Amino acid sequence: MWLLGLPWALALLVAVASSSPSAATPDPASIFADLSPAELRAVRTFLMERPELGLSPSQGGPLAKNSLFLVELLPPKKRLALQFLEHGGARPRREARAVIFFGAQAEPNITELAVGPLPRPSSYRLLGFKGSRAVPFSARPMTRLEYELLYEALVATMAPLEPLLREATGFGFQNCSERCLTFSDIAPRGLGPGERRTWLVIQRFVEGYFLHPTGLEVLLDHRDPDPRRWAVQQLWYNGRYFGSVRELAESHARGTLPLARLPEPPARQLFSSYEPRGRFASGTPTEVHGAKVCEPQGRRYRLRGNRLEYGGWSLAFRLRSSAGLQLFDVRFDGERVAYELSVQEAIAFYGGHSPAAMQTKYMDAGWAMGASSYELARGVDCPETATFLDAYHLLDADGPVRFRHALCVFELPTGVPLRRHFDSDFQGGFHFYAGLEGRALVLRTTSTVYNYDYIWDFLLYPNGVLEAKVHATGYIHATFYTPEGRRYGSRVHSHLLGNIHTHLVHYKVDLDVAGSGNSFETMDIRFENISNPWSAGAR
């Protein structure tokens, strides 16, 4: 009898467990959670099956095609989110934002769609821009396919310059498996609307190739969707401009071209490598570990899905593919202080003597800062004790891609007391000493955008302070040294100019202090000149 009744008892236990609040009710923070791999695949499958969109796979094929470039969460409107979070309203409809390149039509453009409801999408609608203007196809971000075609076009057009490049650098483009040349491209890609022509900085392909320009920069027009019609419009070599590849090659053949001869790179300890080398003059040992972060009694923060709790703090977070970290519903001691804090853009403006340097104005969200969040190294990028989280992106790919350990969370000693006081009795003793250790919780990710590595931090302090911080590291964006270039930078190596530049980092800060209806004011001081009540005649 007992054995016969066991399946029924198990079924009852399953029914009771599935009807419990914890199993049936997801955390409210999940309305801000990034799309899961299953959701990303569902959106892509739905759009690929819509005949009116005519989508082709992202990889391979021609440039002039309709393809899905990006899929990421479309956060709910704030009004609907607050009705759900504050007043028990309906859970907001979960949707995705999809960016489509429509290249195979009479008027190619870039279109954004809202797709939903998730997890089983069944419809889409247009996400328009102010003025209902279409984004032209020429303004699209670069894709892996276009970079491959750009490299092929460069190799083909540079063939007449192979003798020059081999003589001056020892490296080349043609039939190379080692000692190859590569390039870095800059932006914007033109001087006016509709242009798509890019200055390419030719570099030796060694570790830290960003610091190995050869002195050659090439302006390649690649606006036409057919790569067979791409053409080199201009070249700059060692301070001089040339109108064509042939003109530069003939100048070299005649022996009238001053060559910028580069020294042979060493087999080991190349100056641009990350290989540790050297000793400190103070004798500080480098072969032993320095100070480490530890958690002697375990973690003091809690992670539940995309909800993070620490001290009085509670927040939802996501890693947006296009731009990076976003915090939502940020609360301290149960009260919302911000609806959203998020990274929006990082911009770098450059100056220089070469055309690539003077043209460079990077807007790094165009390279998808969130989807440039590669694996964090335990013990270097984050302490060994940190919690590591994966991310999934669908960007310029035919399915979701896992980015292992793209974020980390850890508690950090600040090294400074949060507050302290020593109460002296002024007779060599004291009445009391009080101090509180300084701690902060760090939510971190990185963005490797070409040469730069941005380290993005949000720090939560136990006294109610929230700090947003960014560190810039990696390699500098450098160009070939010429004497004229010293007006626009510093000579950092024999053939290398570190160009003057400015970084601007943009955050969105939507504060909800004491409710969502607050406003922003600036205040100034007004002086009032009155008579001094305890000193006659003084004011």
Side-chain angles (χ1 to χ4, degrees):
M1 291 292 292
W2 182 83
L3 288 174
L4 290 173
L6 182 59
W8 176 84
L10 289 175
L12 179 62
L13 286 173
V14 170
V16 171
S18 64
S19 63
S20 65
S22 60
T25 308
D27 192 301
S30 63
I31 66 172
F32 303 113
D34 280 313
L35 301 184
S36 68
E39 289 175 319
L40 291 170
R41 282 190 290 268
V43 172
R44 181 181 183 275
T45 299
F46 170 73
L47 293 176
M48 294 294 289
E49 292 176 349
R50 303 304 299 178
E52 69 274 14
L53 299 179
L55 296 181
S56 300
S58 297
Q59 303 308 309
L63 281 177
K65 63 181 178 182
N66 298 349
S67 61
L68 179 61
F69 178 68
L70 169 68
V71 178
E72 62 180 4
L73 175 74
L74 179 63
K77 291 186 179 298
K78 181 178 180 180
R79 174 179 55 84
L80 299 177
L82 290 184
Q83 285 178 358
F84 169 70
L85 295 171
E86 294 291 320
H87 308 295
R91 190 178 187 86
R93 172 184 167 111
R94 188 162 168 84
E95 294 184 307
R97 169 180 174 251
V99 178
I100 297 178
F101 292 173
F102 284 110
Q105 56 188 43
E107 294 185 8
N109 65 74
I110 304 170
T111 298
E112 295 192 8
L113 303 176
V115 184
L118 296 175
R120 290 175 290 277
S122 58
S123 64
Y124 64 85
R125 69 179 192 278
L126 185 67
L127 291 174
F129 295 91
K130 289 183 178 179
S132 301
R133 293 177 295 122
V135 178
F137 192 62
S138 59
R140 68 192 183 279
M142 292 288 290
T143 61
R144 186 187 310 175
L145 174 60
E146 189 168 7
Y147 273 123
E148 292 170 356
L149 295 171
L150 205 65
Y151 182 76
E152 292 174 5
L154 188 63
V155 170
T157 57
M158 291 293 101
L161 297 180
E162 191 73 4
L164 183 161
L165 294 170
R166 289 287 179 182
E167 182 180 352
T169 72
F171 288 57
F173 278 112
Q174 310 302 317
N175 302 317
C176 74
S177 57
E178 296 180 353
R179 303 178 69 84
C180 299
L181 293 173
T182 187
F183 70 89
S184 287
D185 61 320
I186 63 98
R189 306 180 190 281
L191 301 174
E195 292 188 0
R196 195 171 180 85
R197 49 185 182 139
T198 303
W199 279 102
L200 308 175
V201 181
I202 310 303
Q203 300 149 327
R204 295 203 283 195
F205 193 39
V206 295
E207 184 176 349
Y209 62 90
F210 306 105
L211 306 186
H212 292 270
T214 62
L216 176 63
E217 297 179 4
V218 180
L219 179 61
L220 183 66
D221 189 330
H222 53 113
R223 179 182 180 182
D224 198 294
D226 187 350
R228 293 173 297 183
R229 290 196 277 268
W230 292 357
V232 171
Q233 292 186 330
Q234 210 167 7
L235 303 95
W236 180 91
Y237 181 72
N238 197 19
R240 294 174 56 190
Y241 285 91
F242 297 87
S244 67
V245 170
R246 179 180 178 181
E247 180 186 345
L248 176 56
E250 290 178 349
S251 178
H252 172 249
R254 290 194 303 268
T256 59
L257 180 71
L259 280 185
R261 299 180 187 274
L262 302 182
E264 180 69 13
R268 287 188 67 254
Q269 296 192 344
L270 186 65
F271 79 91
S272 58
S273 78
Y274 267 48
E275 180 184 356
R277 52 194 179 271
R279 298 289 179 190
F280 291 113
S282 63
T284 300
T286 57
E287 67 280 358
V288 298
H289 284 297
K292 295 286 184 179
V293 175
C294 68
E295 296 172 333
Q297 294 173 285
R299 291 172 180 159
R300 303 200 306 155
Y301 58 90
R302 183 164 63 166
L303 266 171
R304 294 183 295 165
N306 69 315
R307 179 180 293 282
L308 179 59
E309 296 173 325
Y310 172 74
W313 291 101
S314 171
L315 58 88
F317 66 92
R318 66 177 288 232
L319 183 60
R320 182 171 44 160
S321 301
S322 52
L325 269 177
Q326 274 188 308
L327 308 185
F328 287 100
D329 194 25
V330 182
R331 300 174 185 240
F332 189 75
D333 279 349
E335 293 192 33
R336 182 180 301 106
V337 294
Y339 177 76
E340 179 185 349
L341 296 173
S342 58
V343 179
Q344 295 288 313
E345 183 62 274
I347 303 174
F349 298 95
Y350 281 80
H353 176 64
S354 77
M358 68 179 69
Q359 173 75 355
T360 299
K361 300 168 187 66
Y362 286 133
M363 299 180 70
D364 290 330
W367 277 267
M369 290 191 295
S372 302
S373 50
Y374 302 103
E375 183 173 358
L376 298 170
R378 190 181 295 272
V380 180
D381 294 320
C382 312
E384 287 94 337
T385 57
T387 300
F388 290 84
L389 303 170
D390 296 347
Y392 291 87
H393 301 292
L394 202 164
L395 175 97
D396 191 22
D398 290 317
V401 178
R402 179 192 179 197
F403 286 66
R404 187 173 183 269
H405 291 183
L407 302 99
C408 69
V409 181
F410 57 92
E411 190 175 12
L412 183 71
T414 62
V416 179
L418 184 64
R419 60 176 180 267
R420 55 93 67 191
H421 183 66
F422 183 91
D423 198 58
S424 171
D425 64 2
F426 301 104
Q427 296 178 10
F430 64 95
H431 294 131
F432 72 87
Y433 165 81
L436 187 63
E437 293 175 290
R439 296 280 188 269
L441 190 73
V442 183
L443 174 61
R444 171 173 294 173
T445 189
T446 60
S447 300
T448 300
V449 189
Y450 251 140
N451 53 298
Y452 280 126
D453 291 66
Y454 296 107
I455 302 173
W456 304 99
D457 287 349
F458 283 111
L459 294 93
L460 309 174
Y461 295 88
N463 61 349
V465 171
L466 190 153
E467 181 181 9
K469 183 183 292 187
V470 59
H471 306 263
T473 179
Y475 288 102
I476 60 173
H477 174 57
T479 56
F480 194 76
Y481 170 78
T482 62
E484 298 86 352
R486 296 193 69 168
R487 296 180 59 193
Y488 308 98
S490 301
R491 189 176 190 175
V492 295
H493 208 265
S494 57
H495 291 84
L496 194 64
L497 185 75
N499 298 81
I500 188 171
H501 62 283
T502 299
H503 286 278
L504 299 175
V505 177
H506 296 247
Y507 290 85
K508 179 180 179 181
V509 183
D510 182 359
L511 295 178
D512 274 4
V513 177
S516 60
N518 55 81
S519 58
F520 178 82
E521 295 181 355
T522 61
M523 303 185 73
D524 204 349
I525 295 175
R526 185 179 68 183
F527 291 95
E528 184 180 2
N529 200 358
I530 63 173
S531 298
N532 190 323
W534 52 266
S535 180
R539 299 177 68 80

